Amino acid sequence: MNRERVLVAMSGGVDSAVAALTLKKAGYEVLGVTMAIWPAGSEEEERHKEGCCSLGAAEDARATAEALGIEHYTLNLRDEFHRDVVADFEATYLAGRTPNPCITCNRTIKFGALMDKARELSADFLATGHYAELKIDEDGSLNLRRARDLAKDQSYVLYPVPQETLRRTLFPIGHMTKPEVRQMAREAGLPIWNKPDSVEICFVAGDYRDYLRERRPEAISPGPIVDREGRVLGEHAGVAFFTIGQRRGLGVKPESVDQDALYVTAIRPLTREVVVGPRHEAESVWLQVTQPRWLAPKPRIGQPVKLKVRAHGPLVGAQLMTSGPDGVGVLLDQPMFAVTPGQAAVWYVDDRVVGGGTIDWTRSAGAPAA
Amino acid sequence: MERVYLDAAAAAPIDPRASDVMRSYIEGCPGNPSSVHYEGRHARLAIDAARRKIACLLGCEHKEVVFTSGGTEANHLGLWGALLREDPQGQHVLVGAVEHPSVLASAHSLTRLGARVEELPADRDGAIDPERAADRVTSATTVVAVQLANHEVGTVQRVSELVKAVKARSPRALVLCDAVAAIGQLSVDVDRLGVDLLSISSLKIGGPYGAGALYVRAGTRLRGVIGGGDQERSRRAGTENLAAIVGLGKAAELLQQERPGRVQRLAQLRTVFLEALARTGVAGWSVNGPCRVAEISGENVPCVLPGVMSVTFEEAPADTVLVRLDREGIAISAGSACAAGSLLPSSVLLAMGRTASEGRSTLRISPPWSTEPTAVAWAAERVACAVEAVRGAHGRRQSQPVEVGR
């Protein structure tokens, strides 16, 4: 009898290791794969020896596969990664927005190019160590939900994966907590059971500002720091160094000690202005979301949903108010601080991912569009 | 599952006759070849014997043979050892664009020392033109590095013509010939070729890992790169890898005796493979390099090694084809591998004018001479199936995959 074949994306970490382990125990034919994304032999590969998808990661994944008794291959996705993820990351910052490269990578690489490889290898499924629950409901529709371990839930970064791809995807650890995952790895004798989670962006060692300064120096241009009325308060070294809600590193102070601290409220790349103001000016009530994707039937206009606008942010109440060629307009129940263009907005109904898109612009209460 | 290994160009199976003679040098107390006592002297004799076998294989004197840890080190020593005789600043190095990465990287790293490194272009078949090469030679040229045959495509270079043309331009220019891929299939005589430096590797001719040799023409000064001792006439320090050198010597001796028969078998296996592939009816494939298969003497006409087949399959990424074949017990390669084990795009194919996509869709099939023809024919069928399965995977939606050759 032919077992179903699963390609498991192994990052060298404990989550994907336990994903592979549970699939093997469940009787699948498991192939472990690590993606090589760094230019080979480069200085950057040297610097990133230990991060996600690095040379060190491939070695850990190989050792884990060996310990699990599964085959392991390394696939070269360098060109795709550079073209789709790194270029988009840099361009987004230079356009005055804050990118989420993990989401871009999920859309184009992990569930894009790597899924192509899975098909080429006649794999029935692609599996990852993401914390998210995925099942097919009785009526045949796709149900992507928050993970059992809400602190680790990664459903937010999975929203752009197309439905037909999700139907060929497994998230074997979505119903487990992190401590349970580590425990399972430890009991299986896997050396990486205690390996710390990687927390930074995988291809940026250190501060992203230094990264941009080094890689795109020609595009970092100084400009004015202004308030909402346009008064110049100071100078900055480049719009790419700022993100909405940022307070530190502004180099300008409120005029007097009674005034509120200043935060970045908007970034205008065309005029190279960074707009600052008191905290309430950095709060939004409206988001315009472009390139929306839907994982379930669209909610009715005005239907209450839960919204998440950053990977580690809270779920807040909102309503989807408009949907058209300009994308989806979302009204928040309460003003929310530091909603950032470039990030994803993902909406949920009862913990189920219903859809999401990229935040294009926001509006604070009683102010013109940022 | 009995595996079918078709990647001799990366690593040839170790000849059991070589393993046999190595055995007594990997256990007991073989001694240090530099020692005065009985053990050392006998180790020394074993090295001398191996050295003479290499000399016989290459048509040179035994003292012109320097043992190294392999082909890469031999190439590196040839380049760096020549440049470091004097201040590298301002010295000129010419290197073929289709050379093995060990030659290209060793050459390019010399720019850090102030040398100027220039690549010689190859044509669509991977051949370097001797006259065009000589045109680039100046009085500052220290080394011209051109392989005897290409490791990925098998193209045989016109080395003796190139040497004549280069020396006519500048007698002081040395020619380094990487014969690692060629020596198993072409007879080599360093005087007929006229080269000053020539490298071979044990791993490609049925010997053990960890040994290679650099021929250095008498009278050619060479600065050692690995220092710390006087071994190999101060050209390569370090206690000799006794067992590996003995194994290499045996492999060289067997090669010298058996080469004609091996080449005949390789030519036969090539025909079997390509005919079987054609019979499958798989579309969109072509063999890279010159059409004509080289005779053992190598000739100064465009030809290709019989034992190396570089085949491009349109729209079929090699990485997943190789994984599919590996799952079926067939070992084939494509280009070179990175440190993490993934496939790198082939610099050789790019230098031959192939697109990046073609470069990523090319397989290298190099059967060991001892392979059974039926195994090679079967492998050809499996290659066709794997290619079709990978091609068919694109554009597939939710229907069950067509299980061709799973």
Side-chain angles (χ1 to χ4, degrees):
Chain A
M1 188 202 104
N2 262 346
R3 294 179 297 162
E4 287 183 307
R5 178 181 286 176
V6 183
L7 203 71
V8 180
M10 297 183 73
S11 65
V14 68
D15 297 331
S16 50
V18 173
L21 173 59
T22 51
L23 290 171
K24 184 169 185 216
K25 284 188 172 178
Y28 288 93
E29 184 201 343
V30 179
L31 291 185
V33 166
T34 300
M35 307 186 300
I37 56 167
W38 287 108
S42 63
E43 274 176 38
E44 290 171 63
E45 185 167 57
E46 187 53 34
R47 236 187 298 169
H48 295 85
K49 257 190 315 211
E50 303 304 334
C52 191
C53 293
S54 63
L55 192 57
E59 288 168 353
D60 284 345
R62 207 161 46 228
T64 299
E66 173 83 6
L68 293 176
I70 65 174
E71 303 287 339
H72 174 269
Y73 297 93
T74 306
L75 295 181
N76 182 347
L77 293 176
R78 293 179 172 94
D79 290 347
E80 293 89 338
F81 187 82
H82 204 269
R83 180 193 67 212
D84 297 331
V85 179
V86 179
D88 176 81
F89 177 85
E90 293 173 1
T92 304
Y93 264 118
L94 295 170
R97 294 156 181 249
T98 305
N100 190 321
C102 301
I103 290 184
T104 312
C105 179
N106 280 342
R107 182 170 53 80
T108 60
I109 308 294
K110 276 199 199 117
F111 298 96
L114 188 60
M115 181 55 98
D116 287 344
K117 297 296 172 193
R119 289 198 174 103
E120 288 169 17
L121 294 173
S122 294
D124 297 286
F125 297 101
L126 173 66
T128 68
H130 280 103
Y131 286 90
E133 296 216 42
L134 177 65
K135 50 191 193 342
I136 312 284
D137 284 343
E138 274 162 18
D139 63 358
S141 62
L142 212 51
N143 193 334
L144 176 69
R145 317 180 61 79
R146 295 168 82 201
R148 184 169 141 238
D149 189 338
L150 290 178
K152 299 298 298 181
D153 172 49
Q154 289 170 298
S155 57
Y156 172 81
V157 299
L158 294 168
Y159 88 87
V161 181
Q163 288 206 36
E164 74 253 22
T165 303
L166 283 177
R167 282 178 194 279
R168 285 171 161 255
T169 301
L170 300 174
F171 298 124
I173 64 166
H175 63 283
M176 297 172 72
T177 66
K178 188 80 194 202
E180 284 168 357
V181 167
R182 288 210 186 273
Q183 178 65 8
M184 192 168 175
R186 187 179 186 172
E187 280 165 7
L190 299 181
I192 44 87
W193 73 273
N194 214 13
K195 187 172 168 180
D197 292 339
S198 57
V199 289
E200 289 105 14
I201 299 165
C202 65
F203 60 93
V204 176
D207 197 303
Y208 80 94
R209 285 165 259 244
D210 297 324
Y211 173 91
L212 288 172
R213 216 177 263 122
E214 199 184 296
R215 283 184 63 91
R216 306 289 284 263
E218 78 281 8
I220 314 285
S221 323
I225 299 181
V226 299
D227 67 10
R228 197 159 65 173
E229 281 74 44
R231 274 188 313 152
V232 177
L233 302 178
E235 228 201 36
H236 67 77
V239 297
F241 298 140
F242 298 91
T243 190
I244 306 297
Q246 188 171 323
R247 182 176 164 181
R248 295 212 292 216
L250 296 188
V252 298
K253 290 211 210 351
E255 285 180 346
S256 75
V257 81
D258 319 314
Q259 280 193 342
D260 300 322
L262 292 173
Y263 298 80
V264 174
T265 60
I267 296 170
R268 300 187 188 137
L270 292 175
T271 51
R272 296 206 295 275
E273 289 172 316
V274 172
V275 186
V276 299
R279 191 187 162 98
H280 67 84
E281 287 181 10
E283 291 175 350
S284 308
V285 295
W286 180 273
L287 344 167
Q288 193 66 20
V289 178
T290 52
Q291 298 169 310
R293 294 173 179 248
W294 304 97
L295 279 173
K298 273 193 207 179
R300 298 181 315 277
I301 292 298
Q303 178 183 340
V305 298
K306 291 283 194 242
L307 181 76
K308 202 162 160 159
V309 297
R310 37 174 38 90
H312 300 294
L315 231 51
V316 298
Q319 293 169 281
L320 304 183
M321 298 304 288
T322 63
S323 178
D326 287 344
V328 173
V330 182
L331 179 67
L332 294 168
D333 292 354
Q334 305 289 335
M336 189 169 182
F337 177 68
V339 181
T340 309
Q343 294 294 288
V346 178
W347 31 88
Y348 294 76
V349 171
D350 296 331
D351 276 352
R352 178 183 182 172
V353 176
V354 166
T358 307
I359 299 169
D360 193 25
W361 50 263
T362 66
R363 190 172 298 175
S364 55
Chain B
M1 166 176 53
E2 183 83 28
R3 288 183 62 85
V4 174
Y5 182 84
L6 303 177
D7 196 24
I14 302 179
D15 194 310
R17 296 169 289 179
S19 314
D20 283 345
V21 302
M22 288 170 66
R23 215 149 272 134
S24 56
Y25 297 96
I26 59 165
E27 48 200 18
C29 188
N32 187 317
S34 300
S35 300
V36 166
H37 45 61
Y38 171 88
E39 289 77 8
R41 286 184 289 108
H42 274 261
R44 172 61 60 206
L45 285 172
I47 304 238
D48 286 348
R51 198 183 304 277
R52 280 195 297 275
K53 289 171 184 169
I54 308 299
C56 179
L57 182 67
L58 303 182
C60 67
E61 296 294 317
H62 70 274
K63 56 183 179 340
E64 294 175 308
V65 174
V66 179
F67 284 119
T68 65
S69 63
T72 295
E73 193 199 326
N75 286 325
H76 185 270
L77 174 59
L79 284 164
W80 279 56
L83 270 273
L84 291 177
R85 294 174 302 177
E86 283 160 26
D87 182 1
Q89 184 76 33
Q91 292 191 53
H92 180 230
V93 175
L94 279 168
V95 60
V98 293
E99 292 298 303
H100 187 266
S102 66
V103 173
L104 285 170
S106 295
H108 286 299
S109 63
L110 288 164
T111 55
R112 283 205 303 266
L113 306 180
R116 185 168 68 90
V117 178
E118 192 182 337
E119 285 189 15
L120 297 164
D123 66 14
R124 259 200 89 74
D125 285 338
I128 309 266
D129 183 291
E131 277 309 320
R132 286 187 66 184
D135 277 346
R136 312 301 311 158
V137 171
T138 72
S139 56
T141 305
T142 306
V143 181
V144 179
V146 174
Q147 64 204 178
L148 183 51
N150 187 267
H151 54 291
E152 277 192 40
V153 174
T155 309
V156 178
Q157 303 295 350
R158 292 147 62 188
V159 172
S160 49
E161 276 181 53
L162 183 132
V163 171
K164 285 198 187 70
V166 164
K167 300 283 186 184
R169 281 317 154 94
S170 174
R172 76 169 276 273
L174 299 175
V175 177
L176 163 65
C177 179
D178 175 350
V180 167
I183 188 105
Q185 300 173 46
L186 298 178
S187 66
V188 166
D189 183 301
V190 290
D191 286 333
R192 186 167 48 80
L193 291 173
V195 298
D196 304 288
L197 303 159
L198 181 134
S199 57
I200 64 167
S201 161
S202 164
L203 186 55
K204 317 293 188 185
I205 59 170
Y209 298 67
L214 178 70
Y215 157 74
V216 183
R217 184 173 289 278
T220 305
R221 274 188 313 124
L222 198 74
R223 181 79 193 272
V225 172
I226 297 179
D230 290 333
Q231 290 88 347
E232 298 300 296
R233 298 169 184 265
S234 301
R235 289 177 294 191
R236 201 281 188 178
T239 304
E240 299 86 341
N241 188 343
L242 185 54
I245 288 170
V246 167
L248 165 57
K250 186 65 179 177
E253 181 181 58
L254 294 168
L255 173 61
Q256 182 73 349
Q257 292 161 2
E258 299 176 3
R259 193 195 270 123
R262 295 182 188 181
V263 169
Q264 207 169 33
R265 282 196 62 113
L266 286 172
Q268 183 201 13
L269 293 174
R270 183 188 188 90
T271 305
V272 167
F273 183 86
L274 293 176
E275 285 185 356
L277 189 60
R279 269 200 305 275
T280 66
V282 67
W285 62 277
S286 56
V287 183
N288 299 302
C291 305
R292 182 172 167 155
V293 175
E295 305 275 309
I296 200 173
S297 56
E299 315 131 67
N300 279 324
V301 291
C303 57
V304 72
L305 293 177
V308 176
M309 288 177 274
S310 169
V311 185
T312 299
F313 290 92
E314 287 160 31
E315 315 273 313
D319 57 357
T320 38
V321 171
L322 292 184
V323 171
R324 291 192 71 106
L325 290 169
D326 185 47
R327 315 283 315 128
E328 295 189 59
I330 299 170
I332 276 175
S333 71
S336 29
C338 74
S342 80
L343 273 190
L344 292 175
S346 161
S347 57
V348 171
L349 292 167
L350 291 176
M352 285 166 60
R354 302 297 186 276
T355 63
S357 164
E358 287 167 330
R360 287 176 82 155
S361 314
T362 301
L363 304 182
R364 179 186 65 184
I365 301 112
S366 54
W369 57 266
S370 54
T371 315
E372 286 299 324
T374 48
V376 161
W378 175 75
E381 288 164 24
R382 301 321 303 159
V383 167
C385 281
V387 164
E388 289 189 317
V390 164
R391 282 173 175 166
H394 293 284
R396 189 173 297 152
R397 294 284 176 222
Q398 290 174 40
S399 52
Q400 267 306 101
V402 173
E403 288 311 345
V404 181
R406 184 174 169 170

